[in-house]
Amino acid sequence: MTTRLPKLPCSLTTLTLALGTSTLLLACSPGQIKQTKSIKIDGSSTVYPITETIVKNYNAQSPSDIDVTVNFSGTGGGFRKFCAGETDINNASRPILKAEMEVCKQNNISYLELPVAFDALTVVVNPQNTWAHDITVAELKKIWEPEAQGKITTWNQIRASWPKQPINLYGPGKDSGTYDYFTAAIVGKEGASRTDYQASEDDEILEQAIINDPNGLGYFGYAYYQKKLEALKALAVDNQKGSGPIMPSQNATEAEKYRPLSRPLFIYVNAVALQNNPAMNDFLDFYMQKASQVVENVGYIPFDFDDYTKLYRNFHKTKVGTVFGGKSEFDLTLDEVLIKRAEY
């Protein structure tokens, strides 16, 4: 069961906010509410460049007593903090999972889910790689599935025309939402992956490793590739459904063909912190006003400016919880994500 997020009636001393079977008692009288002005943000390294830019811009124009901080520990690492009540906003490169929903419920953490961008998750190699220009979903699965560990070790094992040279793999760690999304989309089961690769929740570490390795292959968010266009080479991905190899792109039309590796990006907002912290509304208003331009500048695919306005206008009317049921969906367009959220 979910409920619409209510406005605090200041004449009451308590407010009951229902989330599932849990009940949360909130102090409502002005003297009882802690008027904190700090906002703590953590989570996805993919979403981090968007939120980091907005935080820098916000801090530059906000009163000195408002303290907004943003870090990254991966989507999963961020949700552990968020569902424990340690952070106010979680950046996420995939929807909240059922296990995370349960932890939030146990800790009486209700949340609002806001899509902020689209990403074309990018498979990259070193520019010295002269043989690979595209790759199929089946070939990606052959590389990354658990059964490949210790067995698929050279490029010619992936495609016979490729050289018999070692293939060195780089990818997100298990706390990363990109890891969760990629394994579900490519291998067919979330978290199912070989483990004999260099892993990191820091995409810049993965970038640099592939830049230094002519035999390297890895994957991360499109914005990180965009920053290193001369130093990295993206592979077109063929989902084998008739459209042929498609390059990752910041163009929305192309991104919608780039399935299953196109995905929505989110922020999750602690609903109780939103009620208790007068700075949160101001910050989120600023976030939605700036998101369209910042998302484009960072290198992801923005929604239209009017869509961000609608998202924020509907913010307090929106039910707490998620529209994704605890799992990722791989065929949604930008419009479908917005409709899904608006109809919830």
Side-chain angles (χ1 to χ4, degrees):
M1 175 183 175
T2 56
T3 184
R4 294 186 183 279
L5 182 64
K7 294 181 179 179
L8 282 173
C10 293
S11 59
L12 300 178
T13 56
T14 60
L15 169 74
T16 301
L17 176 63
L19 176 62
T21 58
S22 301
T23 298
L24 184 61
L25 295 179
L26 303 178
C28 186
S29 62
Q32 290 176 293
I33 294 177
K34 183 182 179 184
Q35 296 292 329
T36 175
K37 290 188 176 182
S38 67
I39 301 171
K40 295 180 180 178
I41 308 171
D42 206 295
S44 166
S45 62
T46 302
V47 184
Y48 176 79
I50 302 170
T51 303
E52 180 197 30
T53 302
I54 291 173
V55 166
K56 284 181 178 178
N57 293 341
Y58 181 78
N59 283 339
Q61 60 91 58
S62 65
S64 59
D65 61 340
I66 297 178
D67 181 27
V68 186
T69 58
V70 56
N71 294 294
F72 63 86
S73 55
T75 298
F79 270 125
R80 280 199 294 275
K81 298 175 186 179
F82 181 80
C83 292
E86 296 172 8
T87 57
D88 303 301
I89 296 173
N90 194 52
N91 296 323
S93 61
R94 45 97 175 141
I96 189 170
L97 303 179
K98 288 181 179 179
E100 294 160 344
M101 292 163 63
E102 185 60 31
V103 174
C104 277
K105 181 178 175 181
Q106 291 170 3
N107 291 329
N108 291 323
I109 301 296
S110 54
Y111 49 85
L112 293 120
E113 176 184 72
L114 283 173
V116 295
F118 243 66
D119 176 30
L121 205 164
T122 306
V123 180
V124 299
V125 296
N126 187 288
Q128 293 182 51
N129 180 322
T130 59
W131 55 91
H133 304 286
D134 58 76
I135 195 163
T136 68
V137 167
E139 288 168 339
L140 284 171
K141 181 179 180 181
K142 187 176 182 181
I143 293 170
W144 287 100
E145 63 186 352
E147 294 79 8
Q149 183 156 332
K151 297 178 182 177
I152 304 300
T153 58
T154 59
W155 284 92
N156 68 320
Q157 289 177 289
I158 308 305
R159 192 177 292 184
S161 61
W162 290 349
K164 188 177 181 179
Q165 293 180 204
I167 183 169
N168 302 323
L169 300 177
Y170 304 89
K174 293 181 179 180
D175 273 345
S176 168
T178 298
Y179 170 88
D180 294 330
Y181 186 93
F182 184 88
T183 51
I186 297 300
V187 180
K189 181 180 179 182
E190 194 167 277
S193 174
R194 66 190 297 169
T195 60
D196 55 340
Y197 69 97
Q198 181 175 320
S200 177
E201 275 73 30
D202 187 338
D203 293 327
E204 290 183 348
I205 290 176
L206 301 178
E207 271 183 345
Q208 197 56 50
I210 299 167
I211 288 169
N212 293 334
D213 186 350
N215 287 306
L217 177 144
Y219 63 93
F220 39 70
Y222 185 71
Y224 286 89
Y225 162 66
Q226 278 282 82
K227 291 192 302 181
K228 303 287 185 181
L229 288 173
E230 301 302 319
L232 292 168
K233 173 183 166 183
L235 300 184
V237 176
D238 187 348
N239 63 15
Q240 299 170 288
K241 294 183 178 180
S243 58
I246 302 293
M247 286 293 291
S249 171
Q250 212 175 340
N251 178 280
T253 302
E254 289 300 309
E256 288 174 1
K257 299 177 184 176
Y258 188 70
R259 299 174 179 176
L261 294 183
S262 57
R263 56 176 178 164
L265 305 176
F266 306 90
I267 59 172
Y268 285 77
V269 180
N270 183 313
V272 178
L274 180 66
Q275 297 282 19
N276 288 352
N277 188 344
M280 287 275 282
N281 276 303
D282 186 58
F283 173 71
L284 289 166
D285 182 37
F286 185 87
Y287 197 117
M288 288 299 165
Q289 286 182 29
K290 303 298 183 183
S292 181
Q293 189 61 54
V294 169
V295 166
E296 185 172 11
N297 290 345
V298 164
Y300 294 122
I301 303 159
F303 299 110
D304 290 336
F305 179 83
D306 288 345
D307 291 325
Y308 289 105
T309 303
K310 290 174 187 175
L311 279 167
Y312 189 71
R313 282 176 181 168
N314 292 332
F315 188 60
H316 292 292
K317 302 176 186 177
T318 303
K319 295 176 185 178
V320 296
T322 175
V323 301
F324 290 91
K327 60 182 181 180
S328 295
E329 296 181 26
F330 306 115
D331 293 317
L332 292 174
T333 66
L334 277 76
D335 287 342
E336 286 167 346
V337 168
L338 291 169
I339 291 168
K340 195 177 182 74
R341 184 69 257 177
E343 290 182 345
Y344 182 56

